[in-house]
Structures are given as structure tokens and as C-alpha cells.
Amino acid sequence: MSNKKIGLLSLTALVLSSMIGSGIFSLPQNMAAVAGAEAISIGWLITGIGIIFLGLSFFFISRLRPELDGGIYTYAREGFGELMGFMSAWGYWLCATIGIVGYLTVAFEGLGVFTDSESAVIFGQGNTIASFIGASIIVWLVHALIAGGMKEAASVNLVATFVKVAPLVLFILLGLWYFDAEIFNADVKGTVLNNRVGEQVESTMLITLSVFTGVEGASVLSTHAKKRTDVGLATVLGILIALALYVAITILSLGILPRETIANLANPSMGPLLDAMIGPTGKVIITACLIVSVLASYISWTMYSSEIPYRGAKNGAFPKILDKLNENGTPINSLWFTGFIVQFCLVLVFVFEQSYNTLLLISTSMILIPYFLIGAYLTKLAFQKQAH
């Protein structure tokens, strides 16, 4: 049996990979459409403080109760009883499993940029027969990868994370070089939008909150960590790196093209912005990066989706049959369970010819409840420690 464990670097990459999926590539347009630079900066400041505190919650809980494995589910159960644990486990698993189907459809929609034309649509919006077959192959290839060991899957994700972050860093460096203060200052308050700065901030925060989903990754896989103290540290490091990338990309974009122009760009909007800096190869680079990014996110989220039912099965929240490890230490029946549900969802996408964006948004919003329980559990722990 493989007893290999996941180190700090790979744990951090898992947290980063699960947060940075497809959303970052559309952030410039999404943000510019609803706010000016001032409101965007305030929105990031408020969200950043909140998400850092959430990360610190994982950090402190991992040190106060290092024996607790499973993160989201275990903390909810330990803090608020079996019912809340049950609801948190099923809610989180459903959110994660529905969400990762969206990554597959986005990946093949991205491939369509290279293959599709007006006369021949091969991948479309990720809902054609070619997309269905390709996505199904990926589902079971990733299944085989994770079945071979969590450590091995985390190592592949680590490489993919470096590949997808490199073009983002390149974009930021180019953004610094091409940044035009005159363009940036032309509409700092977003007056053309006819909204108060406060209203603009509210609109940005609906976007900023969604791009941090996945922050809990290291805690979910804590039992596979080489050192339990790495769990909280990986969470905080992942948050800080992601926050730096998000803020830099959105703010620098407003100094490359006017806000109104960015607001009307097609998504992924980082492509046209890179085109404006280096020419027509920008869209190709960003689209390729998008495909790698969502597939890496698919690996990390599948790992989480297989771990939660396994943890839940030990306490009756999921069927007992899911409480099984294979010779590589992977929760194999839980992994099969997740794979079959993803495959079923792919069938639905193909049959009903939808791009899955609506379900992806629903899954993101539902995860906020388990996040709230994390903060509540840390508060409870703090009072218990004071009482003693």
C-alpha cells in the first residue's frame, strides 16, 4: 500500500489550482462591466480581508484540532452535531461534483477556438458529441490517475498549476510594462455607469467572492498531508498568491484599455487584452492556458469530491459502502461514485445542449454555507479554550 504523503508545495498548488479555474480569465471584463477602478479596489480590499480571515480559520483550527481530518464536513460535524455534518457533507459534495462538470465543458469549449468554424462546429459550447466523448475520456483518465494514489495526482496537479500560473505572471509583467496612467485615470470612479461607488462595490463582491471557492482544499485532504501543520499554511499561502494574481490582473487591465472597452470584450477577456499588448497570439496563449487551468482544477476538485463521501461514510452521513480505501490509499468506491455522477451530468449537458453555466453558479453559491460553519466552529473553539 502506498503511504506517500502530500508536501506543502503540492498542498498549496491544490488550493491554488482549485481556486484558479476559468473565472480568472474573464475577471477583467466581469469587473469592468460593473465598476470603476476605485470600486474594484475597495471590493478586492473587503473580499481580501474576509477571505484571509477564512484562511486563518482553517490555519488555527488545524493547529487547535490537528487530529480532525476531512475539513468542511468534519469541522461542521464536530462543532454542531451529526445533522449539520450531514448537511454540510452532502451540500459540499453536490456543489463540488456539479461544479467540476462545468470545468469539462469549458475546456472543450476552449478547444473549439482552435477547431471550430462557421461551417464546422466540433466542440461548440462543450455540449456536442465530440465534447461529450472527450470529456468522458478525461473523467476516467483522471479517475485512473487518482486511483493510483493521492500523492501522484497531487504531483500532476502541481506541474499543471505551474503551467497555468506562468502565463498569468507573464500577463501581469506585460501589464506593468504597457500600463498607461492616463487610460487608468480617465474613469476611476466609473461615472459612466451612473451608479454610486457603494453600489459598484456590491456588484464587484458578487464576483470576487466566487473566485475563492476551493480555499478549503488542503483541509479536505488533511489526512494525506505529510505534516498536519502544512494544512493551514498551504491554505493561507494559496489565498495570498491567488489574491495577488486577481488584484494585479483586474487593476492593471484598466491601464491597458479603457474601462468601457474592456466591459464590452468577449470572454475570456484576458485574450483580447493580451492581444492589445503583444498582438494576435494573445488569444491563443490565454485559451491554451484556460484549458490547462480548468483541467488542473478538475483534478483537484475530483480529489475533494472523492474524499468527502469517504469521510462521511465513516459516520453514517454517506452509505457505508463508500468507506473503502484501495491499495494506494485512495477512497476508491467514493471515487467511482463521484465519477458516475459526473458522467451522468455530462449526459444531461449533451442531451439538453446546455453549457452548464447556471448549475456552476448555483454550486458556487451553495458552498458559502459550509464556509460560514468553519468560522462559527473556530469561534466556538475559542470560547471553549477561554472557558478552560
Side-chain angles (χ1 to χ4, degrees):
M1 176 175 174
S2 172
N3 60 355
K4 295 178 183 175
K5 296 291 185 179
I6 304 173
L8 176 61
L9 188 60
S10 292
L11 275 177
T12 305
L14 282 166
V15 174
L16 194 59
S17 177
S18 53
M19 284 192 286
I20 298 179
S22 59
I24 191 171
F25 300 96
S26 301
L27 263 181
Q29 185 278 331
N30 293 165
M31 299 288 265
V34 298
E38 182 180 333
I40 290 173
S41 300
I42 295 170
W44 279 124
L45 178 64
I46 296 170
T47 304
I49 292 171
I51 206 71
I52 287 170
F53 274 110
L54 176 61
L56 289 173
S57 295
F58 284 105
F59 181 86
F60 288 122
I61 292 174
S62 69
R63 278 161 169 71
L64 291 170
R65 298 294 306 276
E67 75 281 4
L68 296 181
D69 290 320
I72 290 278
Y73 159 66
T74 310
Y75 295 164
R77 175 178 171 273
E78 189 72 16
F80 306 102
E82 297 289 348
L83 177 60
M84 292 305 293
F86 176 89
M87 293 173 63
S88 184
W90 274 98
Y92 183 80
W93 179 79
L94 286 169
C95 293
T97 307
I98 289 171
I100 60 179
V101 178
Y103 288 133
L104 295 172
T105 61
V106 166
F108 283 92
E109 185 177 359
L111 277 177
V113 171
F114 302 106
T115 61
D116 292 6
S117 63
E118 289 184 8
S119 58
V121 176
I122 300 174
F123 294 113
Q125 290 184 298
N127 52 14
T128 63
I129 183 64
S131 294
F132 173 75
I133 293 171
S136 298
I137 291 171
I138 296 246
V139 168
W140 299 111
L141 284 176
V142 171
H143 172 96
L145 171 67
I146 297 173
M150 289 290 201
K151 161 72 168 150
E152 288 72 15
S155 297
V156 172
N157 177 77
L158 175 62
V159 174
T161 301
F162 275 115
V163 170
K164 75 178 181 180
V165 168
L168 301 179
V169 174
L170 172 65
F171 181 94
I172 292 169
L173 294 175
L174 288 169
L176 288 168
W177 181 260
Y178 286 96
F179 186 84
D180 187 329
E182 189 174 332
I183 293 175
F184 181 83
N185 291 323
D187 189 22
V188 170
K189 292 186 177 294
T191 50
V192 180
L193 293 166
N194 294 318
N195 284 336
R196 292 182 297 103
V197 170
E199 293 173 335
Q200 293 177 36
V201 171
E202 289 177 17
S203 298
T204 64
M205 289 182 67
L206 293 173
I207 301 165
T208 57
L209 285 171
S210 66
V211 293
F212 284 103
T213 306
V215 63
E216 70 288 341
S219 70
V220 171
L221 299 176
S222 57
T223 191
H224 303 281
K226 190 175 293 183
K227 291 164 53 180
R228 295 301 173 91
T229 52
D230 286 346
V231 172
L233 184 56
T235 303
V236 174
L237 287 173
I239 288 172
L240 292 176
I241 295 169
L243 182 61
L245 292 172
Y246 293 151
V247 173
I249 287 168
T250 48
I251 297 299
L252 290 173
S253 295
L254 297 170
I256 298 168
L257 293 176
R259 187 201 59 76
E260 299 93 328
T261 303
I262 298 173
N264 292 309
L265 292 177
N267 278 318
S269 51
M270 279 181 66
L273 280 161
L274 199 56
D275 280 349
M277 293 186 282
I278 64 171
T281 56
K283 184 179 180 181
V284 173
I285 293 172
I286 292 301
T287 303
C289 183
L290 169 66
I291 294 168
V292 173
S293 181
V294 295
L295 291 179
S297 295
Y298 179 78
I299 293 173
S300 56
W301 276 103
T302 303
M303 293 169 73
Y304 309 158
S305 292
S306 64
E307 187 71 20
I308 290 295
Y310 168 72
R311 292 287 152 198
K314 290 183 170 296
N315 299 289
F318 278 79
K320 189 65 178 174
I321 192 174
L322 301 180
D323 179 15
K324 180 186 176 183
L325 297 175
N326 67 4
E327 66 276 9
N328 297 314
T330 299
I332 190 64
N333 287 353
S334 180
L335 183 63
W336 279 108
F337 181 43
T338 295
F340 283 130
I341 296 299
V342 171
Q343 185 68 69
F344 174 71
C345 289
L346 286 173
V347 172
L348 294 180
V349 171
F350 174 63
V351 171
F352 294 104
E353 298 185 346
Q354 297 298 313
S355 66
Y356 226 68
N357 287 337
T358 303
L359 281 177
L360 190 57
L361 289 172
I362 292 171
S363 70
T364 299
S365 60
M366 286 173 61
I367 267 176
L368 294 176
I369 296 173
Y371 285 174
F372 168 77
L373 292 174
I374 297 300
Y377 180 48
L378 179 59
T379 303
K380 183 177 179 179
L381 278 177
F383 280 115
Q384 288 176 343
K385 292 291 181 183
Q386 277 190 332
H388 292 297

